Amino acid sequence: MDSRVMNLEHQGRSVVVELLGPEGAPGVICLPGMGDIRSVYRHVREPLVSRGHQVALMDLPGHGESEAGVEPSQVDIAHLVANLTEQLTSPVIVIAHSYTPDSALLASQMNPSIVGVLAIGPWATTPELDPFMRMVSRIVGRTPWLWGWFYRSLHKRPPTDLKDHVQAIRRSLRRANGTSTLQSMVLGNGKDATDRRETTTVPVGIIMGSADPDFKNPRAEAEAFAQGLDATITLADGSGHYPHTEDPDAVLKAFDMLSRRIDSDTDA
């Protein structure tokens, strides 16, 4: 499928966005989680285009092909999403994973063209790290090989192309200053939008892998995230932390459900 690349700016550094699908079609913005790259949406991007959308895949600041050496917060990412929305056709739905759903929710409050958010594997809280775990997190965050190993361990139904994807992540982390953003994120330094959920008014879909090893109780984590939101919860049976690659059909069904809710609200 043909695509084109555009650039946003954050702290004087470029942020890469890949666009697929026809210009003028309603937009879908896809945000990876921390330490990930935009190709994590490789199994859902074309089906989203086939549903009549223009899909915008973002490499987060400091990730992938975006310039390295920045430490973006969730609020910074929200501003980028709100600005990107201005360059797409409304209405716009944002799909976000793990670290970035709070950014998507905040962006919906900044730009009314964002009419819904699909949150994949969202964190409801910021884990408290004791000194030992902070040390371990620093080591993992600054070591591309270890991050790749950890990333693979979060999959319970790994796709056949996972090895290639992990290699691409490691290549991006091996750039000069390539791990600086990840090191900041793994310590939770930029989680500054978690208190903005309660002021979100757009419909939200939450999809959580039922076997997500990031959480002691994935359903409970999803329910905690949903508090105060107009949200529905879907569990991807047997999936780990990456349902969009482990069970893309489940993610697409959750997207379709959210789209129908948005259409129903519009018609009401």
Side-chain angles (χ1 to χ4, degrees), residues 30-253:
C30 297
L31 304 177
M34 70 175 179
D36 210 346
I37 55 180
R38 66 183 190 268
S39 56
V40 71
Y41 287 100
R42 61 197 179 276
H43 294 298
V44 299
R45 58 192 179 191
E46 292 189 14
L48 290 171
V49 170
S50 71
R51 282 162 166 76
H53 296 281
Q54 183 179 38
V55 177
L57 308 165
M58 183 186 292
D59 273 334
L60 298 179
H63 291 68
E65 293 185 295
S66 295
E67 285 190 74
V70 294
E71 295 185 7
S73 70
Q74 290 178 320
V75 172
D76 292 331
I77 296 168
H79 280 287
L80 284 168
V81 173
N83 292 337
L84 174 58
T85 299
E86 291 296 322
Q87 303 184 53
L88 302 176
T89 299
S90 62
V92 172
I93 296 173
V94 182
I95 304 175
H97 175 241
S98 189
Y99 184 91
T100 54
D102 282 316
S103 298
L105 297 180
L106 177 56
S108 74
Q109 300 170 52
M110 296 175 173
N111 193 321
S113 293
I114 297 173
V115 297
V117 172
L118 181 61
I120 305 174
W123 278 91
T125 58
T126 302
E128 294 292 333
L129 300 178
D130 61 33
F132 175 75
M133 286 308 299
R134 288 184 70 85
M135 180 188 69
V136 171
S137 296
R138 285 193 184 98
I139 294 171
V140 173
R142 70 178 182 227
T143 310
W145 185 87
L146 284 175
W147 178 256
W149 173 84
F150 175 68
Y151 185 96
R152 290 176 67 99
S153 75
L154 296 179
H155 293 75
K156 293 300 181 182
R157 299 173 59 185
T160 57
D161 58 359
L162 178 59
K163 180 179 179 180
D164 292 338
H165 183 69
V166 171
Q167 288 176 341
I169 292 172
R170 285 173 172 156
R171 283 195 298 271
S172 74
L173 293 174
R174 290 188 183 114
R175 301 176 296 165
N177 298 316
T179 62
S180 61
T181 303
L182 178 58
Q183 289 180 65
S184 176
M185 285 182 170
V186 296
L187 296 176
N189 294 341
K191 295 204 74 174
D192 55 357
T194 57
D195 61 345
R196 304 297 290 274
R197 288 177 210 149
E198 61 188 24
T199 51
T200 299
T201 58
V202 300
V204 177
I206 300 170
I207 180 163
M208 183 77 76
S210 68
D212 190 333
D214 243 357
F215 308 114
K216 291 181 180 178
N217 186 329
R219 175 177 281 280
E221 192 75 19
E223 290 173 348
F225 188 85
Q227 288 183 6
L229 298 173
D230 176 16
T232 58
I233 297 172
T234 302
L235 290 184
D237 188 37
S239 288
H241 195 54
Y242 298 87
H244 37 327
T245 58
E246 298 179 68
D247 191 355
D249 286 342
V251 171
L252 291 166
K253 288 178 181 176

